[in-house]
Amino acid sequence: MKKLYYPILFFVLLCFSSCVDIEEHYDFKPDGSCNVVYAFDMSHAVSVLMNLMTDSVKETPQFSMVKDTTLNFYTALPDSTQQRMTFDEANMAKSSNLSIKMDLKKSIMKVSINHVSKNSKDLAYYLKHLSKISMDSQLKAITKNNKSSRGFDAQQLVAGEDYYSYEITPHKFYRVIDKGKFNSFLKKTQSTFAVAKAMLIDMPYKVVLNFAKPVKKVNNPKAIVSADRKRVTLVTNMDDVIKNPSVMNLKIDF
């Protein structure tokens, strides 16, 4: 039963992933480790899409599920995904937790993935491989065949994770968007974003990085540095990113 539930959860997450409040949190520790949290709040999108749901869909057991739990990310993955993972990918997933708070009838849908990286090399590997773990054929089948997606294609959205390149060392965090890959991503997902905009669904994006010591340099003029220079915050939205992809670039020396 649990293995059937999680593909349904990820279907909801991925289908709405272009119209959610997304927050990335990085907490760098003095020993070089880093706690990373990806938080997705789809509550607003759910409240909008509720108007498109038929009464028969709203009364299904899947739609009526209420969850508030945290579990190991690896155990939440389908067996087919686990079997295809490399040793390093499996260890990465096992060191991550998945938190879920869901009550669709109350328009509540929040998911977060928490991971503790041991060092800068581990963090770089995590950021590069996290999206690939979610690319499971079982998810593709669900999102492709489920008519309730209303034009949201999860396969396209997950592919977008590959448009960042990272350079991470014990004293720097560089993230640069590849404009070529990003433009390719936009071409594949233009219908998805058009649907979200037509529904008046905002797509905010927030990145927060906390450091153990003051940062020396930040290249993004839109990034806000705290008074003690130990926190960097970047707030934008998908409309701004589409107009100028470089707004997501972050080069931080610390």
Side-chain angles (χ1 to χ4, degrees):
M1 179 63 70
K2 184 171 70 171
K3 292 295 182 181
L4 294 175
Y5 161 67
Y6 292 109
I8 293 171
L9 168 66
F10 278 105
F11 157 69
V12 177
L13 170 61
L14 295 175
C15 283
F16 297 163
S17 60
S18 68
C19 48
V20 302
D21 290 3
I22 302 176
E23 290 195 15
E24 295 180 47
H25 283 259
Y26 299 81
D27 290 312
F28 292 87
K29 309 299 182 182
D31 63 359
S33 63
C34 182
N35 185 53
V36 188
V37 179
Y38 280 89
F40 305 86
D41 187 347
M42 291 147 280
S43 301
H44 177 60
V46 170
S47 66
V48 174
L49 293 171
M50 279 283 288
N51 296 324
L52 302 177
M53 299 290 183
T54 63
D55 291 339
S56 59
V57 172
K58 293 178 183 179
E59 296 304 319
T60 59
Q62 293 88 348
F63 196 87
S64 301
M65 284 190 295
V66 176
K67 294 288 179 179
D68 189 353
T69 185
T70 297
L71 65 157
N72 184 265
F73 186 52
Y74 181 81
T75 61
L77 295 171
D79 293 336
S80 57
T81 300
Q82 295 179 2
Q83 293 168 3
R84 292 197 304 272
M85 295 170 71
T86 65
F87 177 79
D88 289 335
E89 289 173 342
N91 282 339
M92 182 188 77
K94 290 175 182 178
S95 61
S96 304
N97 289 324
L98 178 68
S99 296
I100 307 151
K101 187 172 184 179
M102 180 175 69
D103 187 341
L104 298 184
K105 288 192 173 183
K106 294 183 179 179
S107 297
I108 297 173
M109 183 63 188
K110 298 179 181 181
V111 177
S112 64
I113 302 174
N114 184 298
H115 174 79
V116 178
S117 297
K118 295 176 292 186
N119 49 48
S120 57
K121 183 179 179 180
D122 187 28
L123 176 60
Y125 182 89
Y126 174 75
L127 295 175
K128 182 178 180 180
H129 290 82
L130 175 62
S131 62
K132 296 179 181 179
I133 292 179
S134 300
M135 292 287 285
D136 180 74
S137 59
Q138 190 172 355
L139 293 177
K140 293 180 182 179
I142 294 172
T143 56
K144 182 177 180 180
N145 297 327
N146 194 306
K147 297 180 180 180
S148 66
S149 59
R150 301 283 181 174
F152 292 89
D153 187 344
Q155 299 175 56
Q156 296 175 349
L157 295 170
V158 176
E161 295 293 333
D162 291 332
Y163 53 63
Y164 286 123
S165 62
Y166 292 91
E167 182 182 354
I168 302 174
T169 73
H171 301 289
K172 68 171 60 174
F173 179 92
Y174 287 8
R175 179 175 77 176
V176 178
I177 196 166
D178 185 312
K179 292 184 179 180
K181 291 183 179 180
F182 184 71
N183 288 333
S184 177
F185 163 73
L186 289 180
K187 289 180 181 179
K188 294 178 182 178
T189 57
Q190 56 185 347
S191 60
T192 301
F193 291 119
V195 171
K197 182 168 290 188
M199 293 179 181
L200 302 179
I201 298 175
D202 295 328
M203 294 169 279
Y205 204 117
K206 183 176 183 179
V207 184
V208 179
L209 303 101
N210 295 308
F211 296 91
K213 54 186 178 180
V215 301
K216 299 177 181 177
K217 184 179 179 180
V218 181
N219 79 320
N220 192 321
K222 288 186 174 293
I224 300 173
V225 182
S226 63
D228 63 1
R229 300 193 64 83
K230 290 186 178 181
R231 171 176 290 192
V232 177
T233 304
L234 176 63
V235 179
T236 185
N237 58 65
M238 189 54 69
D239 283 341
D240 289 343
V241 176
I242 291 173
K243 295 175 184 176
N244 178 21
S246 297
V247 74
M248 291 300 293
N249 290 347
L250 275 173
K251 289 187 176 182
I252 305 173
D253 294 292
F254 57 96

